[in-house]
Amino acid sequence: MTPRHPLTAGRAGVASAALALVLASAATGSPVSAAGGEGADVPQSTVAYRSVAQFTTAGKPRDLLLHPDSKKLYVGSDDQPETADVNESGLHVLDPADGKVRSTVGQAPGPTGTLGRRAVRQLLAPLPGDGAVFFYPLRGIGTAKDGDAAAAGAWVPGAAVTHATAGLTPSTVLVAQGSVLSEVDVATAAVRRSVTLEGGDGFAVDAARGTVWFADIAHRRMYRIDAASFQVAATVELPAGEGFGGFTEVDPETGAVWVGLDSSVVVHDATGKRLGTLRGAGTDMPRAAAFDATTHQAFVVWQDAGDSSQPGSDNDGTLTVHRARDLQEVVKPVVLPGLHVQLGSAAVAVEPGGASVFVSDPVAGRITRLERATSPRVTRSPADRSVAAGTEVSLTAEAEGVPRPTVVWQVSTDAGRTWQAVAGATSATYTFTAALSDSGRRYRAEFGNDAGVGRTAAATLTVTIPDPTTGGGGNGPATTAGSGNTDGTGSSGSSGSTGSTGSAGSTTGGSAGGSDGASGTPGSVGGGSAGATVGGGNHATPSGGALASTGATVGTLAGSAVVLTAAGWVLLRRTRPRSAG
């Protein structure tokens, strides 16, 4: 079916029963399931994430930071072995929209202050306005911003740094050197205070509550360290397992601590009480997490084990999104092809509001940008219409979603059991000329984007035969006019029946003869009504209809014609010679 067609002359003679055309808003370009009707393949406003770009411009990415002020994407990288002719290690500053490298800071001071090419393993905190604080092996704490020729930096005294993160104040960072946790000055790397623990791996800071959570995976426990005293305030037991740690992160809003542990994420509240456990798919292991304060959601990156001998290993990782307060999954897991742990852990950065998410893959040397999509939500459906055949009809439907939904109108010829695309009808408003042959057809608009499909509710169009006199539809189905009874005694003639609908011609009712001709009942003419009167001396005045103004004249002439005809017949009888007996 195509957007179409004027009424042809042949259709004008079709019987005048009213014909119904049901219009409902339409969908995709191909026939749809027999279920028909309005609805969607996912609930309206369902959120999903989709990969929209991959950046391979920043070496072997190890950590990500989306600067809250400048909005630039900072990437800490190792050198990519496959590019032996170019050393890609350092601090890269990318445009988050397209991954274009704005600048690279590759030089940082060594232990003696000599500048050299340095890999950047962890991004610890943003600098005010622009730039980042970062850790570089083996004990370097550096700072740099977009456009700097070299980073400023200093080396922490003692053993190699095994983990680092933002400090309790903007001028400090926390570093772990094995089981020793130290608070270090950013500018000088001087140690302000330290605490020695039984063991330790990753840790996270809850600056709002003055707490540091230090995970000791080998002993399956966490230490809660009070920031004021810098001493252990409590010990929390972790579930037994194989001893693999992924990450330790604190939700800034609630203070809950999330620990990646083997193939699960264990969540405790700010006091250390267990809230729940999240599990990934197959052999996937949690390796990074980030929180968005606007949506109150947690984003977790899971990496496959990368060992095909293990049941469930498929070499693909996933991104999961959870409501931070109750751990409920709010987005269908997003598959991240080829993301495994064999050559390093992934990192994740989230744009405030969650519109974009960035995930690094050190194995492939790429950063994947994912964008949030929201399935269409119908905000307007087409309304019922009643028109005459040959009338131009416009149906309008609207929906919102991210990205902006596309629309396709569909038609059903079997009362909504199956649907077919209307060729070329891909705008919010679908305009066509209504025809009698459209009787019973239904239309609907279907909106779709990367997150799903939504359809509008149904609307009904009734198509009637047009009146050639007025250009409009008639009032009802056509009937044959009745005739009056002639009793030959001068009694009143009976009323004529209802006139034809939507077609030319009036209805003549009543009887001949008698002193008083009865009025014919109103006959519909093109939406009006007029009954012509035939009878004796007194004629009722007709009213309404296209012929109302001439009703009396028509009645008089008609009556005169009848009288003259009768008189002629009598005259013929009187002048005809009688036959011989």
Side-chain angles (χ1 to χ4, degrees), residues 51-56 98 337 366-369:
S51 174
V52 296
Q54 290 187 332
F55 310 149
T56 56
D98 58 13
R366 69 187 174 209
I367 299 166
T368 298
R369 177 184 174 181

Side-chain angles (χ1 to χ4, degrees), residues 296-315:
H296 312 292
Q297 293 175 348
F299 297 75
V300 181
V301 176
W302 306 73
Q303 291 178 262
D304 187 73
D307 183 355
S308 58
S309 65
Q310 294 189 35
S313 178
D314 58 6
N315 209 46

